Amino acid sequence: MVRLLTTKVETYKNYIDGSWVNSGNQQTFKSVNPSNKNEVVGVFQASTEEDVSVAIDAAAKAFPEWSKTSPSKRAAILSKAADILESRLDQIASELTREEGKPIGASKGEVSRSAQTLRYYAISGQNMTGNTFVNDDQNMKVTTEREPLGVVSVITPWNFPLSIPARKIAPALITGNTVVFKPSSDTPLIAYRLVEALHEAGMPKGVINFVTGSSRDVGSLLITHPAIRAVTFTGSTGAGENIHRQASLTTRTQMELGGKNPLIIMEDADIGLAATLTVNGGFSLTGQACTGTSRVIVMKEVKERYIEALVEKTKALKIGDGFEEGVTIGPLANEKQLRNVLKYIEIGKEEGATLIYGGEQLSEGKYKDGYYVVPAIFTNVKNEMQIAQEEIFGPVIAVIEASDYEEAIKIANDVEYGLSASIVTNNMKYAHQFTKDIQAGTVKVNRTTTGNLLNAPFGGIKNSSTSTYRESGTEGLDFFTQTKTVYIGY
């Protein structure tokens, strides 16, 4: 992969009512490369509530016509946008690595998956049907119809800056809603590319609107404006709780939030597989995934063998710029993330856990201008420790010993989160029982805690989600529609 060279820093605009426009206050902010904080990826609009209000008004104005547009026409636009993304795969993947930091292979995978998501909803959205109900009146027909809600706010994070917006925006649009989209200020360029593709694919004006800027400045109106019928958000639990509190009684919310995901390793487990799953789930994407493995609960009789294998595989990881050949661990996304991870590493030491590998910031030579940290492994962790209870969102793994399956389940469930969980075992009894006992919305056996199919529902329980509507799959359409029951007599 040849890194695309840039010679000029471009200023990118908001997209409102079918036009690319500057913020009303003419203020901007910079997006920088986390591998090299001195490299500016782009300049973006520091929007105000007035900009958001104009965007919402445009979406509300466009809704009646778009909601009546045939599903096949909506689908054709999504499919064309998917074609555009794929035709620019190398360019967008390169920009994604520059802006977010993940290795180029992962970036290319995200672009491809996002295109697949658009196509998936272009097809599945045309298959939505209501129900017909049997009744005693032979001169009456009773059915249900599914209708779009109206204007939807889409607020997304920086860790999957293309695939998460795609899996929210595509089902919203195919079901006839209009959208106001605010991405993370750490990754606005990749979000811009998605909107650009939809624009070039022929999206009518006002149907998709895009505003960048600080959540402090524009976030509240995206939730409280009377025209907003639904808010879909992915991010921290604290931010999600704040959004949920602000939303009115008649505004739907879909919150996919934090996780503290366990991987249980039983005494019969393949230790090599267990170590590989830990590294892939906990350290890939620099630990910056809500489903990332952050706790490993291992049976005491295999603990030493497992730790030895884990450290060996972790040492083999190559840390660096995502464009560098063989790099598997990129930088953290920003300085705030770096400071947060380093803070928790110190907390772990202070709490009495043993840091057996990593945890130090890399700041010399090729690392000096990036946000790099060596993946950290803690042992002798007690489940009441902060590093075992709180989401770190970085490459830090806490290894906790258990004496049997029952204790492992008790430890795994003893957190406020319930997003993803996995077990490594060759015992089918353990495997089946685990799927029933674990408190998580995504449950796996002999697989990483990370990753989900685009055609399968995704979401958490407890403080990992509002537990209302799932994302992804055909269930991802439900959030964006409401049911109308129709009685026709004749």
Side-chain angles (χ1 to χ4, degrees):
M1 176 69 190
V2 177
R3 180 170 181 170
L4 301 181
L5 299 178
T6 56
T7 57
K8 180 184 176 181
V9 177
E10 187 173 344
T11 297
Y12 298 88
K13 298 181 179 181
N14 288 336
Y15 183 70
I16 299 176
D17 203 19
S19 298
W20 300 102
V21 296
N22 292 320
S23 174
N25 66 3
Q26 302 298 310
Q27 298 297 307
T28 59
F29 67 93
K30 297 175 181 178
S31 175
V32 301
N33 182 347
S35 291
N36 179 4
K37 60 188 176 185
N38 299 314
E39 179 185 350
V40 177
V41 175
V43 177
F44 296 85
Q45 305 303 308
S47 303
T48 65
E49 285 198 341
E50 183 178 349
D51 298 313
V52 173
S53 181
V54 174
I56 293 172
D57 289 344
K61 183 179 178 181
F63 173 69
E65 185 66 27
W66 180 246
S67 65
K68 296 173 186 176
T69 299
S70 68
S72 62
K73 289 183 179 179
R74 297 180 205 149
I77 294 173
L78 291 182
S79 295
K80 187 174 181 180
D83 293 341
I84 292 170
L85 289 180
E86 286 185 335
S87 72
R88 299 170 184 171
L89 187 148
D90 284 347
Q91 172 205 333
I92 298 174
S94 178
E95 290 173 334
L96 202 165
T97 292
R98 287 181 63 223
E99 189 171 52
E100 195 272 342
K102 66 184 58 174
I104 188 64
S107 293
K108 293 177 76 171
E110 182 168 348
V111 178
S112 295
R113 180 185 174 92
S114 300
Q116 292 169 358
T117 298
L118 295 181
R119 289 200 185 94
Y120 172 80
Y121 282 111
I123 295 170
S124 62
Q126 297 183 75
N127 295 323
M128 288 192 308
T129 60
N131 295 309
T132 300
F133 298 90
V134 176
N135 70 90
D136 291 338
D137 187 341
Q138 296 187 14
N139 295 317
M140 181 174 67
K141 185 177 183 180
V142 183
T143 62
T144 57
E145 299 176 359
R146 295 171 69 179
E147 298 181 332
L149 302 175
V151 182
V152 175
S153 289
V154 175
I155 306 172
T156 58
W158 44 259
N159 58 332
F160 292 98
L162 192 60
S163 62
I164 289 179
R167 80 181 186 209
K168 294 175 182 289
I169 291 172
L173 294 177
I174 194 64
T175 50
N177 300 278
T178 54
V179 170
V180 180
F181 171 33
K182 195 205 88 67
S184 166
S185 294
D186 285 305
T187 51
L189 176 57
I190 302 310
Y192 179 100
R193 294 303 184 207
L194 175 59
V195 176
E196 182 180 56
L198 291 166
H199 167 71
E200 293 182 15
M203 191 67 68
K205 69 176 186 178
V207 174
I208 179 76
N209 301 272
F210 169 77
V211 291
T212 56
S214 167
S215 294
R216 292 188 302 272
D217 296 331
V218 302
S220 180
L221 199 62
L222 286 166
I223 304 158
T224 60
H225 191 288
I228 297 296
R229 291 296 315 283
V231 180
T232 177
F233 168 81
T234 297
S236 71
T237 297
E241 287 177 337
N242 185 50
I243 290 172
H244 195 56
R245 284 194 296 267
Q246 289 187 68
S248 73
L249 178 66
T250 56
T251 301
R252 285 188 182 180
T253 60
Q254 181 184 56
M255 307 283 115
E256 288 306 331
L257 310 172
K260 196 66 181 173
N261 312 295
L263 177 70
I264 295 176
I265 301 170
M266 297 306 300
E267 67 277 1
D268 68 307
D270 179 325
I271 297 301
L273 173 64
T276 297
L277 294 178
T278 306
V279 168
N280 291 345
F283 296 148
S284 63
L285 303 171
T286 323
Q288 298 173 130
C290 57
T291 54
T293 304
S294 56
R295 294 181 297 151
V296 174
I297 304 165
V298 59
M299 297 301 109
K300 61 182 178 180
E301 53 260 58
V302 295
K303 177 183 173 183
E304 295 307 317
R305 284 198 297 128
Y306 163 74
I307 290 174
E308 182 180 347
L310 175 60
V311 171
E312 180 181 355
K313 289 184 180 293
T314 304
K315 286 180 177 179
L317 299 173
K318 184 176 180 180
I319 304 169
D321 188 305
F323 290 102
E324 188 179 340
E325 186 72 25
V327 161
T328 49
I329 303 290
L332 291 158
N334 52 52
E335 185 174 4
K336 180 181 178 182
Q337 282 300 113
L338 174 65
R339 298 303 163 204
N340 187 63
V341 168
L342 294 175
K343 178 193 76 172
Y344 273 104
I345 290 170
E346 291 306 310
I347 288 173
K349 295 176 185 177
E350 293 168 2
E351 289 182 314
T354 304
L355 180 63
I356 62 167
Y357 181 79
E360 64 269 22
Q361 180 182 356
L362 297 176
S363 56
E364 302 293 332
K366 66 179 182 180
Y367 302 113
K368 66 183 180 66
D369 293 318
Y371 305 120
Y372 294 100
V373 65
V374 179
I377 301 171
F378 280 97
T379 60
N380 298 321
V381 177
K382 304 300 181 185
N383 206 47
E384 63 270 16
M385 293 180 178
Q386 283 182 257
I387 60 169
Q389 289 289 321
E390 299 176 10
E391 185 177 42
I392 301 173
F393 218 68
V396 180
I397 287 176
V399 179
I400 305 170
E401 181 183 298
S403 59
D404 54 29
Y405 171 82
E406 287 73 22
E407 184 182 13
I409 287 293
K410 181 178 179 181
I411 292 170
N413 289 336
D414 187 24
V415 290
E416 65 176 291
Y417 301 104
L419 185 53
S420 180
S422 184
I423 190 170
V424 188
T425 182
N426 290 310
N427 186 320
M428 293 307 296
K429 180 180 178 181
Y430 284 147
H432 285 298
Q433 195 62 38
F434 175 74
T435 64
K436 297 177 175 64
D437 293 338
I438 196 68
Q439 296 170 2
T442 300
V443 182
K444 300 185 179 185
V445 177
N446 296 325
R447 291 293 183 269
T448 60
T449 59
T450 52
N452 62 286
L453 294 176
L454 62 85
N455 59 337
F458 171 75
I461 62 174
K462 300 199 286 190
N463 282 351
S464 289
S465 173
T466 43
S467 298
T468 49
Y469 297 89
R470 292 302 193 221
E471 294 189 341
S472 296
T474 55
E475 290 189 23
L477 297 164
D478 294 343
F479 175 73
F480 300 101
T481 62
Q482 58 193 0
T483 299
K484 177 180 286 184
T485 305
V486 179
Y487 293 74
I488 299 177
Y490 48 90

